[in-house]
Amino acid sequence: MSEQELKAIDAEVREIVNAAADFAQHDPEPDASELYTDIYR
Amino acid sequence: MMAELTGRHGGYSKGKGGSMHMFSKEKNFFGGHGIVGAQVSLEPVSPSPTAIAAMILSAWPISATARRTRARSTKLQYAELWKLPVIYVIENNRYAMGTSVTRSSAQTDFSKRGISFNIPGEQVDGMDVRAVKAAGDKAVQWCREGKGPFILECRPTANRGHSMSDPAKYRTREEVDKVRHDQDRSSRSAIGCWRPR
């Protein structure tokens, strides 16, 4: 595998991670109404 | 996955689970589980019979709770009876959280865990990427041929405690230092590099 190919993989991975991080940062936190969802009461 | 780690609604467990509750239905990834290893009971729900469900288990489930749950032995039983294509990957770094496996397990060769269910197993050097890939490919082939489940025990070396809350007092400083010094390869195990294809 050439250095060029490795760099391409690096760039692709970075792009995926950045996109995921971006999504996570702009996604809302769970609604307060979810507080007791699936919790035994 | 990122959204789950940061506690957002779009995460796999709606942002309420965190790192111990990762899974992906569409990718057949059963992920982590709050009770480590308890996901062993989940594999027969794999949506497609041709899909191979690989489960990464740490040394934990074998020495701790999950091994003793009846659900686990029942599922291993049915995995073999129904010839389900499941590869149980046991990542055994020889230490559970708190102690060495030699102090908590009478049988330390975990690839033999399936013997009573007639499930074959193999041990492989968990620090050797090529060895893990070769053994993994063999296990995949075994499953694809419809021969049922397979247990793959990967043995990486532990170079630190189980987690942030494990100071690893049960090992000598010298042993840990030696492991770290001898590891000129990656400090991570090779298992993460292998994906069934």
Side-chain angles (χ1 to χ4, degrees):
Chain A
M1 193 176 270
S2 73
E3 200 161 318
Q4 209 73 34
E5 287 172 290
L6 288 175
K7 273 192 181 146
I9 293 172
D10 263 353
E12 192 193 340
V13 169
R14 196 158 305 181
E15 205 168 293
I16 294 169
V17 172
N18 283 343
D22 202 49
F23 172 80
Q25 271 165 353
H26 292 94
D27 203 42
E29 288 182 2
D31 196 75
S33 67
E34 291 269 6
L35 194 59
Y36 285 101
T37 308
D38 303 329
I39 305 263
Y40 179 76
R41 277 194 280 181
Chain B
M1 196 178 268
M2 281 290 200
E4 188 58 45
L5 285 174
T6 49
R8 309 301 171 112
H9 187 73
Y12 284 132
S13 298
K14 293 186 184 169
K16 291 168 61 185
S19 63
M20 295 292 284
H21 297 85
M22 294 290 183
F23 65 93
S24 169
K25 225 169 167 179
E26 63 269 26
K27 293 209 157 74
N28 273 344
F29 173 61
F30 293 85
H33 200 288
I35 300 168
V36 182
Q39 71 268 39
V40 169
S41 322
L42 301 176
E43 103 283 323
V45 299
S46 174
S48 148
T50 51
I52 292 187
M55 311 205 140
I56 311 281
L57 309 173
S58 67
W60 237 73
I62 311 132
S63 51
T65 23
R67 179 187 60 178
R68 303 198 183 96
T69 63
R70 181 179 294 170
R72 175 168 166 146
S73 47
T74 306
K75 294 305 173 185
L76 284 177
Q77 186 88 273
Y78 279 97
E80 175 64 21
L81 274 175
W82 295 342
K83 298 286 177 206
L84 298 177
V86 183
I87 301 169
Y88 295 95
V89 181
I90 300 174
E91 183 179 358
N92 175 17
N93 67 14
R94 289 169 277 252
Y95 290 92
M97 173 150 173
T99 192
S100 152
V101 295
T102 55
R103 289 191 211 120
S104 61
S105 285
Q107 170 58 275
T108 54
D109 182 346
F110 295 148
S111 65
K112 291 181 180 159
R113 278 288 143 110
I115 284 181
S116 57
F117 306 104
N118 211 19
I119 300 173
E122 193 181 310
Q123 272 187 335
V124 59
D125 178 0
M127 299 305 284
D128 184 340
V129 177
R130 290 191 182 92
V132 170
K133 184 178 186 305
D137 289 346
K138 210 174 106 186
V140 169
Q141 201 187 345
W142 176 270
C143 288
R144 293 251 157 88
E145 285 167 3
K147 291 175 177 169
F150 195 90
I151 293 176
L152 196 59
E153 181 191 359
C154 300
R155 310 194 76 165
T157 43
N159 63 358
R160 66 189 65 189
H162 178 79
S163 69
M164 283 162 68
S165 48
D166 181 3
K169 293 238 171 76
Y170 43 87
R171 299 172 77 188
T172 61
R173 188 73 233 168
E174 293 73 41
E175 190 206 336
V176 178
D177 282 346
K178 186 178 182 315
V179 164
R180 287 186 188 168
H181 179 263
D182 291 350
Q183 261 170 19
D184 56 356
R185 290 171 276 190
S186 154
S187 61
R188 301 295 307 267
S189 77
I191 299 154
C193 307
W194 172 72
R195 291 280 176 280
R197 280 173 210 282

